[in-house]
Amino acid sequence: MAGMIDQLIEILGEQNARCEELLGLALEKKDVIVQNDIDALQKITSLENMVISQNNRLERQRITLTADIAEVLGKGGQTLDITALIECMEGQPQQAPLIAAGEKLRETLTKLKEHNDINQSLIQNALEYVEYSLNVIRTSAQLAGPDYPDNAQGGPAGSFDAKQ
């Protein structure tokens, strides 16, 4: 089982590395959103999708491994999270590295969520501004009234412009 715990610690470390990559991209994305650089935003989003795919693969490995560990511990069929596993490992030498890996991942995920919330707010504000601007344009077009064709002299035609 010690090898399985070591493998789990390694997977958690790799997941943390992917989340730190996402955190770096979230910081870049904030600047790009503020600068309104759509091309750069698309590139960052593409990179994020690649990192998320890598993290999803690691997550599937982690789930499979924790299911195997639960089976070894006689808790087959139960979902075994890191906290429960740490409790089962009381006094074992791998408990401390597992705690450290879990806490580090949790901290990175918390920071990532904070930055993603900020970016979501910035995007929402930008969309509200665009909607407001469109409403102003529509309203001003409606208030201006219909356009009248120009008369032969090049000026606007009016009721007093008719030749007598």
Side-chain angles (χ1 to χ4, degrees):
M1 183 166 110
M4 293 167 70
I5 299 298
D6 289 338
Q7 189 178 2
L8 179 60
I9 292 168
E10 184 179 324
I11 289 172
L12 291 174
E14 289 180 34
Q15 282 188 299
N16 187 62
R18 297 300 82 71
C19 289
E20 286 177 346
E21 284 182 54
L22 288 172
L23 182 58
L25 291 171
L27 292 170
E28 284 182 48
K29 187 188 279 189
K30 177 184 168 196
D31 295 335
V32 166
I33 292 169
V34 170
Q35 295 169 0
N36 200 24
D37 187 349
I38 302 302
D39 292 332
L41 183 60
Q42 288 176 336
K43 289 177 185 174
I44 290 173
T45 302
S46 177
L47 289 172
E48 281 179 327
N49 287 332
M50 288 180 5
V51 174
I52 289 169
S53 290
Q54 294 169 353
N55 204 31
N56 286 340
R57 179 186 50 82
L58 291 167
E59 182 66 10
R60 287 189 298 275
Q61 289 176 355
R62 186 193 64 78
I63 290 169
T64 301
L65 186 58
T66 54
D68 292 345
I69 292 171
E71 193 69 37
V72 169
L73 292 173
K75 300 181 183 237
Q78 294 181 8
T79 303
L80 191 63
D81 63 5
I82 302 300
T83 305
L85 182 57
I86 289 169
E87 290 173 7
C88 293
M89 296 181 58
E90 191 65 40
Q92 294 185 18
Q94 293 154 323
Q95 184 184 26
L98 184 60
I99 290 171
E103 287 178 357
K104 189 170 184 177
L105 180 58
R106 192 174 298 117
E107 289 172 10
T108 304
L109 287 171
T110 299
K111 290 177 188 175
L112 181 59
K113 182 182 180 330
E114 289 171 0
H115 287 285
N116 281 340
D117 288 346
I118 289 169
N119 288 342
Q120 182 179 1
S121 178
L122 288 171
I123 290 171
Q124 185 63 39
N125 288 342
L127 289 173
E128 287 173 3
Y129 178 74
V130 168
E131 186 176 330
Y132 170 78
S133 298
L134 288 173
N135 285 335
V136 167
I137 291 169
R138 281 187 213 122
T139 302
S140 65
Q142 290 172 351
L143 292 176
D147 290 336
Y148 295 103
D150 291 344
N151 67 7
Q153 285 85 22
S159 59
F160 294 108
D161 291 336
K163 290 186 179 181
Q164 307 265 333

